[in-house]
Amino acid sequence: MSAKSYDEYEGLNRLALDRAGQADAFDAIGDRYNDAFPHKEGQVSSGAWLAGALPAGARVLDVGSGTGLPTARQLSAAGHRVVGIDLSPSMVKLARDNAPGAEFHRLDIVDLRGGRLGGPGSFDGVAAYFSLLMLPRAEIPYALGLLHDLLRPGGLMALSMVEADVDDFPIPFLGNTIRVSGYLRDDLRRVVHDAGFDVVEEDAYAYAPASTDVPPEIQLFLHLRRA
């Protein structure tokens, strides 16, 4: 990422406070998250692709690791060195219990600047399942650029988003309110391409969360390679 991009990203710090509110919502949700999302076929299938496509013992960053299920546990069980980050202290605690073979940190994605967990090229893979959708659209290209730089050349990334033409839109979620952003799939392809990724594979799943007031959604899974 260029110095100019870092400066622009720094200029978006108004959302640090907003994301703290997002973290508060997930602290309140706690382990009810897994109850509401008991079946994650798309995420498990995508995680299997990432686990199998990476070299043995790869170092993988799990962005928005949540409860550690299924991704951190899945990648760790495959022999990879998983580093998870999440803003919610409750989620970090749950992840450490659910995936003891991985390491977890209470960090915002912006905290990864400056080599906090390793400098450019320090990760072989990145998993970002439904984490970047918690950002306003203005921040998503910068977040993707940051993750691009953390990957080694040719490194892999598994990304999922909900297909929706929304930006920082409030929705009810397990008795709390969170704000989400989304793209239509052609727009999402453009955003990841502009951030320096090639799309290797993609898939889509219709998903209806259990016991929530969130309507059915289309989940997009993109398998990416750092160009």
Side-chain angles (χ1 to χ4, degrees), residues 70-117:
T71 299
R73 180 187 285 180
Q74 182 181 23
L75 293 170
S76 182
H80 300 303
R81 295 171 292 140
V82 180
V83 181
I85 64 167
D86 202 289
L87 262 182
S88 164
S90 293
M91 290 293 170
V92 170
K93 181 180 184 304
L94 287 167
R96 287 171 177 160
D97 292 339
N98 289 327
E103 67 176 87
F104 297 95
H105 303 268
R106 183 177 178 265
L107 293 174
D108 188 352
I109 187 170
V110 75
D111 296 327
L112 299 180
R113 293 178 300 172
R116 181 73 176 267
L117 296 178

Side-chain angles (χ1 to χ4, degrees), residues 106-168:
R106 183 177 178 265
L107 293 174
D108 188 352
I109 187 170
V110 75
D111 296 327
L112 299 180
R113 293 178 300 172
R116 181 73 176 267
L117 296 178
S122 58
F123 288 93
D124 302 292
V126 171
Y129 292 117
F130 308 110
S131 50
L132 299 192
L133 64 79
M134 305 293 290
L135 304 176
R137 279 184 180 176
E139 283 204 354
I140 291 173
Y142 302 104
L144 285 169
L146 176 60
L147 297 175
H148 174 276
D149 287 356
L150 287 174
L151 277 170
R152 63 170 176 79
L156 302 177
M157 178 172 173
L159 171 71
S160 65
M161 299 280 286
V162 173
E163 185 174 27
D165 187 13
V166 296
D167 181 14
D168 204 27

Side-chain angles (χ1 to χ4, degrees), residues 165-182:
D165 187 13
V166 296
D167 181 14
D168 204 27
F169 185 76
I171 62 170
F173 189 73
L174 295 174
N176 296 269
T177 298
I178 61 172
R179 294 180 318 285
V180 299
S181 298

Side-chain angles (χ1 to χ4, degrees), residues 21-22 24-30 32 171-178 213:
Q22 303 274 65
D24 290 344
F26 279 90
D27 279 341
I29 290 165
R32 288 186 295 137
I171 62 170
F173 189 73
L174 295 174
N176 296 269
T177 298
I178 61 172
D213 46 8

